[in-house]
Amino acid sequence: MSISERFITYYRETFFSWDEEWLQKFLSTIITPLKKSFRINISKISIENLLIRLKNQGYIPFETWISNVFSFERTIDFNPFERRLGFSLEHLLWYIYIQELAAAHSVHILSDWKIHNDSFLILDMASSPGWKTTQLSEQYPKSFIIANEPTRERIPQLLQNLDRMGSINIGVTLYPGQYFATSPETFDRILLDAPCSWEWTIFKTTDAVKNWHIKNVKTISRLQEKLLESACISLKTWGEMVYSTCTLNQIENEWVLDSMMRKFPWCFEITFQKRYWPHIDGTGWFFVSKIRKLLSVEGKKLKIQKNINEEIIPLSKHEQSLVFDFFHSSDIQEYVFYKFKHKLLAVRLSESLELVRNNFYCMRFGEEVGNIEEGKIVWTHYAGKTLVSSKVPSMILPDDEGILDLYFRWEKIYLNTNLRWYINLYYDWQRIGLDYINETGILSNFFPPSWRRK
Ligand SMILES: C[S@@+](CC[C@H](N)C(=O)[O-])C[C@H]1O[C@@H](n2cnc3c(N)ncnc32)[C@H](O)[C@@H]1O
């Protein structure tokens, strides 16, 4: 693959004028595929336990400089049920997330590597496919996160990822990021993982190489400036945000930050900044900077919009009693239930829920845990994913990969029990989720059909 001369000249002049050898090293690294890596969701499983499980399936994990992110290879001899990591039980149960190492860093930078119990309102301004949204949800489990994505074609992938990882504290909105400038001083934290010139896809496709032109880079940097300006306005004073891109050029990074500092002098400080070089850091291309807001800045405030999500409404008394037929109150004390048409939504309790419901139109609000049909609730898989009902009995699927495989293929499985109700299903000490045993004793798989193994 030949790399565009324009690209090489820009990088030589901007970063490597002092060292042709390093330039050549950089150029040879960027056309090599990246090592795959995954992130472990430590709120679900310990690192040790997860690594043992994967090693038993023939994966060889390698430590990285992020404690819960591992790169991996596979051994050659697989057992017949072994699948790609993306179809493993561990992946389906939200224990792991396949994510590039440097990209996994930006949420850690925002959260200072900690899990926070604050009830923040967080904006993920450019969120699809949701890698970092799910990470925000792990690092800020008690906060409410707006996952915003204006590109319609990129919504299905976002929703699919949120489904798998759980979206109990997430609302999805479809605004151009510039829109948030009309909500000054609103968010405690913002992640702006900006749309960029996709330089990093060089090793995957020749397009980024062929199309690299400084004019295109400057065009996208003007959009990035507007998005950053919007983030600056909508961030609360003393709030923090991360601006990141998966490009290394200065035009989409330092220039965008410089323009913010010129526009709002004395209002912001940059508290962290790093450029990840593939030939030095062994990662994908990435630039990340962390910004703190020191002073409020001018924005154009829209009229308060009351009840923009008017179809998302609180439950009636009768509907609430149906919820309590299924859950003990202690099971759900941290959640609030709403209704959208016939759908039952569960959302983690948070101080900003009403602010969001009144001001930002959400195409998704929390998790769809049931359907209200003819005065009763039919619970879905999601009712057992994040929420756990202690009224529902547990059953264990026989410890046999073949049976698990049948389960994931939606084949009929008979369970030796007289029970005909919902069950919490376990396999190999792992809770798979909520299922149902029908009147003929067959286990009805409540996993979403799109996750079916083929
Ligand atoms: C680098 S990707 C985000 C990746 C995502 N944060 C993740 O980790 O999975 C940038 C996203 O910005 C979206 N985007 C494009 N124009 C936008 C705009 N005006 N406002 C907000 N987002 C925009 C793109 O559709 C794309 O999904």
Side-chain angles (χ1 to χ4, degrees):
M1 182 198 307
S2 65
I3 301 176
S4 137
E5 270 310 313
R6 288 190 297 264
F7 175 89
I8 297 176
T9 307
Y10 173 83
Y11 273 83
R12 177 181 284 118
E13 286 175 359
T14 313
F15 297 109
F16 295 100
S17 55
W18 41 273
D19 200 337
E20 188 64 21
E21 206 182 309
W22 270 103
L23 172 69
Q24 293 310 326
K25 194 149 198 265
F26 168 65
L27 294 176
S28 64
T29 321
I30 62 179
I31 51 170
T32 317
L34 288 174
K35 243 190 177 171
K36 283 200 163 159
S37 50
F38 61 82
R39 179 182 98 228
I40 302 175
N41 179 355
I42 52 171
S43 68
K44 293 267 171 187
I45 193 164
S46 72
I47 293 180
E48 294 80 8
N49 195 350
L50 191 274
L51 293 183
I52 291 170
R53 297 179 66 86
L54 290 190
K55 281 179 192 163
N56 288 343
Q57 295 170 51
Y59 289 95
I60 312 170
F62 301 96
E63 279 182 12
T64 68
W65 36 268
I66 303 183
S67 64
N68 67 332
V69 178
F70 288 78
S71 62
F72 66 95
E73 285 170 7
R74 310 196 306 184
T75 50
I76 299 153
D77 48 335
F78 293 112
N79 76 48
F81 298 111
E82 175 148 19
R83 341 216 120 238
R84 291 201 340 256
L85 200 52
F87 283 97
S88 64
L89 177 65
E90 290 71 18
H91 190 258
L92 278 176
L93 296 185
W94 180 18
Y95 293 171
I96 52 171
Y97 203 121
I98 296 167
Q99 187 176 31
E100 202 282 307
L101 178 58
H105 204 184
S106 49
V107 173
H108 281 307
I109 296 295
L110 185 64
S111 66
D112 292 321
W113 301 82
K114 286 193 245 159
I115 295 188
H116 294 260
N117 284 322
D118 308 81
S119 185
F120 284 156
L121 179 58
I122 301 178
L123 173 64
D124 185 357
M125 192 184 272
S127 66
S128 185
W131 291 326
K132 299 186 191 72
T133 317
T134 56
Q135 206 177 357
L136 283 169
S137 171
E138 283 165 38
Q139 298 296 117
Y140 296 96
K142 305 259 163 89
S143 296
F144 190 82
I145 299 154
I146 292 188
N148 181 66
E149 173 56 56
T151 313
R152 300 276 159 150
E153 321 68 272
R154 289 176 62 89
I155 294 292
Q157 208 189 341
L158 172 67
L159 296 184
Q160 207 180 38
N161 281 326
L162 296 185
D163 278 347
R164 189 171 63 80
M165 307 295 272
S167 57
I168 203 92
N169 61 342
I170 298 172
V172 177
T173 60
L174 309 174
Y175 299 105
Q178 299 87 320
Y179 173 80
F180 292 95
T182 59
S183 299
E185 297 285 322
T186 302
F187 299 100
D188 300 280
R189 297 285 180 271
I190 297 181
L191 176 66
L192 171 52
D193 190 34
C196 61
S197 60
W198 296 97
E199 280 177 350
W200 73 280
T201 56
I202 267 176
F203 70 89
K204 286 194 191 163
T205 151
T206 50
D207 286 358
V209 188
K210 272 194 271 164
N211 298 340
W212 198 95
H213 199 294
I214 201 133
K215 268 208 291 204
N216 300 340
V217 173
K218 283 184 178 164
T219 306
I220 193 97
S221 99
R222 281 192 285 277
L223 170 64
Q224 291 159 339
E225 282 177 17
K226 290 207 176 90
L227 295 178
L228 187 57
E229 179 179 346
S230 172
C232 286
I233 295 167
S234 54
L235 186 69
K236 284 182 185 166
T237 303
W238 296 115
E240 293 181 301
M241 63 183 168
V242 155
Y243 173 80
S244 55
T245 69
C246 39
T247 50
L248 295 175
N249 68 66
Q250 291 188 331
I251 302 161
E252 297 179 63
N253 296 308
E254 282 90 345
W255 286 25
V256 175
L257 293 170
D258 286 350
S259 123
M260 168 195 84
M261 293 302 232
R262 278 196 308 275
K263 221 175 284 164
F264 305 120
W266 311 110
C267 298
F268 294 91
E269 62 173 340
I270 296 175
T271 54
F272 178 87
Q273 189 163 306
K274 179 167 166 65
R275 177 179 268 101
Y276 296 83
W277 291 99
H279 63 300
I280 299 173
D281 298 294
T283 62
W285 318 45
F286 213 69
F287 176 91
V288 58
S289 58
K290 185 172 181 178
I291 301 158
R292 181 181 296 131
K293 184 166 177 178
L294 306 174
L295 289 171
S296 176
V297 297
E298 286 271 308
K300 358 172 190 97
K301 197 169 168 74
L302 273 191
K303 247 191 353 212
I304 295 279
Q305 302 184 34
K306 272 270 164 227
N307 231 352
I308 191 167
N309 294 291
E310 59 188 356
E311 289 185 294
I312 299 176
I313 54 175
L315 300 191
S316 67
K317 275 228 163 69
H318 173 64
E319 288 155 350
Q320 272 175 14
S321 72
L322 295 175
V323 170
F324 284 107
D325 286 345
F326 191 73
F327 289 105
H328 284 300
S329 51
S330 55
D331 297 333
I332 49 173
Q333 60 194 5
E334 292 187 13
Y335 302 94
V336 194
F337 291 85
Y338 293 92
K339 193 169 62 165
F340 172 72
K341 299 185 176 159
H342 64 280
K343 291 177 178 154
L344 180 68
L345 311 176
V347 191
R348 188 182 279 281
L349 195 61
S350 141
E351 282 164 20
S352 25
L353 286 186
E354 284 310 294
L355 187 152
V356 174
R357 208 160 69 89
N358 284 330
N359 291 286
F360 301 104
Y361 178 74
C362 293
M363 68 155 308
R364 172 180 290 204
F365 192 59
E367 232 157 45
E368 213 179 283
V369 292
N371 291 307
I372 305 173
E373 292 168 9
E374 296 165 3
K376 62 181 180 96
I377 297 173
V378 179
W379 297 95
T380 66
H381 164 78
Y382 300 103
K385 189 168 175 64
T386 326
L387 311 178
V388 184
S389 167
S390 47
K391 285 190 177 177
V392 172
S394 299
M395 290 218 58
I396 302 171
L397 205 58
D399 192 2
D400 176 338
E401 272 282 339
I403 295 191
L404 183 71
D405 197 53
L406 288 179
Y407 173 83
F408 283 138
R409 290 172 185 280
W410 264 247
E411 302 284 350
K412 281 185 187 161
I413 298 175
Y414 292 92
L415 286 180
N416 191 10
T417 170
N418 294 327
L419 193 74
R420 300 289 181 263
W421 201 52
Y422 293 97
I423 55 159
N424 279 316
L425 190 69
Y426 282 76
Y427 175 82
D428 190 16
W429 304 101
Q430 309 303 315
R431 185 165 166 277
I432 296 190
L434 188 74
D435 283 304
Y436 191 86
I437 303 181
N438 71 17
E439 53 297 342
T440 54
I442 295 175
L443 176 69
S444 310
N445 185 328
F446 271 26
F447 258 53
S450 57
W451 301 1
R452 188 176 300 190
R453 278 186 183 170
K454 292 172 185 97

